[in-house]
Amino acid sequence: MCPKYEAAADILGKKWTGLIIRVMLGGPKRFKEIKEQIPEMSDKMLTDRMKELESLSIVKRTVYPEMPVRIEYELTPKGRELQPVIESIQSWGEHWM
């Protein structure tokens, strides 16, 4: 098996990751906005997944020095390139699930 394919499948195959990326395709979001769109996911799981996606340079975290502090997450160019993959999975799911 190709190690690059395996690594990509491992990332997208983790629970919640595909949904997070799908939500993020809509543009920059705050933690609360992501959580509202995926209410079944715990705060801890969302935090863990966001940290992982940030470490993989799929998501960028921006801290705005306001009062109170505002933090936004957005897909990097690397993350945005997942759009056709996510849309293909959506299309397949609508057809076969």
Side-chain angles (χ1 to χ4, degrees):
M1 173 94 26
C2 173
K4 291 182 180 183
Y5 174 86
E6 187 176 352
D10 284 345
I11 292 166
L12 292 175
K14 286 189 176 175
K15 187 167 180 145
W16 305 114
T17 300
L19 284 173
I20 292 168
I21 293 170
R22 186 168 182 262
V23 167
M24 299 291 299
L25 287 170
K29 303 271 188 285
R30 295 178 76 171
F31 187 93
K32 180 181 175 185
E33 294 172 312
I34 300 167
K35 183 72 174 89
E36 286 172 353
Q37 291 191 37
I38 314 172
E40 302 85 17
M41 181 176 36
S42 71
D43 287 358
K44 182 182 179 340
M45 181 60 71
L46 179 54
T47 298
D48 291 348
R49 288 293 182 262
M50 294 307 285
K51 285 180 182 176
E52 180 181 22
L53 292 171
E54 186 179 2
S55 75
L56 294 167
S57 300
I58 293 173
V59 168
K60 176 185 168 192
R61 180 179 184 262
T62 305
V63 178
Y64 295 94
E66 303 170 347
M67 285 309 254
V69 173
R70 179 171 52 106
I71 300 171
E72 283 187 347
Y73 299 90
E74 65 181 309
L75 293 173
T76 63
K78 180 179 178 179
R80 285 192 299 275
E81 283 196 27
L82 288 167
Q83 183 167 357
V85 175
I86 299 299
E87 288 174 350
S88 291
I89 293 169
Q90 177 71 41
S91 177
W92 184 89
E94 288 174 4
H95 186 263
W96 294 104
M97 294 287 147

